[in-house]
Amino acid sequence: MAATVKLGATSVAKKALMAASGVVLTGYVVLHLAGNLLYFAGPEALDAYGALLHKNPALLWSARTVLFASFCVHVFVALDLYMRRQVARPISYGRYERAASSLGARTMLWTGLILLGFVVYHVLHLTLGFFLPAYSPGRVHSNVSAAFSSIMPTVIYVLSMIALGLHVSHGTLAMTQSLGLTLRRDRLRGLRRFAAALAWIVAVGLAAIPITALTLSLLRGR
């Protein structure tokens, strides 16, 4: 019994840790969206935003360190909790009827794995300039336009943003529970609406950039 209680307490603590890291990552995604939407304001606005981020290297690397640590914690704790569940129930149900849940909730593991691969690809692609012969440091708008001048990278980004939207839609709800916050039924409904709206804004906003860049590239090629 003591071992079971200890295991349960450990799982609760890890869920809280994953939720806290999720708050950091969600905040970053929202700020990242706000900055990236400057793509629609033109090269000067987006390049100036990029230059501003690099103006204070100490602050930039501090933010990157916190973000990287949060990302690692979120991934490793999520995988650990998943493995714990598998060990706790090594034999699947003979008959399993799924309880009512959202698509985001049912696909959290898979969207998480997709996003893990996407983050690695995104850093190599647009931060370091791998796979992008036309990459030029500091010319953010030009790099984005070049990166999405072909169909395959655009498809990868759009599908990844769909996965991100699904992940955010359920993650926003799960974070409140994991952090021990209890809400009345009416506030819970409001939180669900907020989570759905946030997921749509993030997914559509970030996906619109590569789609626009590809469309403009195709139009110029006519």
Side-chain angles (χ1 to χ4, degrees):
M1 176 67 72
T4 302
V5 172
K6 183 178 180 181
L7 180 63
T10 301
S11 295
V12 169
K14 288 191 173 184
K15 286 181 179 179
L17 190 60
M18 189 168 70
S21 61
V23 170
V24 174
L25 295 173
T26 302
Y28 167 75
V29 165
V30 172
L31 293 175
H32 191 59
L33 169 63
N36 283 4
L37 287 177
L38 290 173
Y39 178 83
F40 298 104
E44 290 186 4
L46 188 58
D47 290 355
Y49 167 71
L52 179 63
L53 292 179
H54 290 81
K55 190 173 183 179
N56 189 331
L59 181 61
L60 175 63
W61 281 103
S62 296
R64 283 177 171 174
T65 299
V66 172
L67 185 62
F68 180 71
S70 299
F71 181 77
C72 290
V73 167
H74 200 73
V75 171
F76 287 121
V77 174
L79 292 176
D80 178 71
L81 289 171
Y82 174 75
M83 294 304 297
R84 282 171 178 264
R85 287 195 297 270
Q86 294 299 106
V87 171
R89 194 181 302 279
I91 301 175
S92 61
Y93 292 105
R95 181 182 178 185
Y96 176 66
E97 294 183 8
R98 188 184 299 277
S101 61
S102 67
L103 179 60
R106 296 195 300 271
T107 58
M108 281 298 281
L109 174 64
W110 302 111
T111 55
L113 292 174
I114 290 171
L115 292 173
L116 175 60
F118 169 75
V119 167
V120 175
Y121 173 72
H122 180 59
V123 170
L124 292 174
H125 188 210
L126 276 175
T127 302
L128 300 178
F130 285 33
F131 324 122
L132 190 57
Y135 180 82
S136 178
R139 300 184 62 191
V140 184
H141 193 280
S142 175
N143 292 336
V144 172
S145 297
F148 301 116
S149 59
S150 56
I151 294 176
M152 187 53 66
T154 305
V155 170
I156 291 173
Y157 271 75
V158 170
L159 292 179
S160 297
M161 292 309 97
I162 293 173
L164 177 61
L166 289 171
H167 207 76
V168 168
S169 69
H170 179 68
T172 303
L173 295 172
M175 285 187 294
T176 60
Q177 297 175 334
S178 297
L179 291 174
L181 301 177
T182 55
L183 298 174
R184 297 199 308 264
R185 183 172 297 180
D186 57 334
R187 292 188 177 181
L188 185 59
R189 285 197 295 268
L191 180 61
R192 287 197 179 99
R193 295 191 191 99
F194 171 78
L198 180 62
W200 272 100
I201 291 170
V202 166
V204 173
L206 289 173
I209 297 168
I211 291 174
T212 300
L214 175 63
T215 302
L216 292 175
S217 176
L218 293 175
L219 290 175
R220 284 192 297 266
R222 287 186 176 181

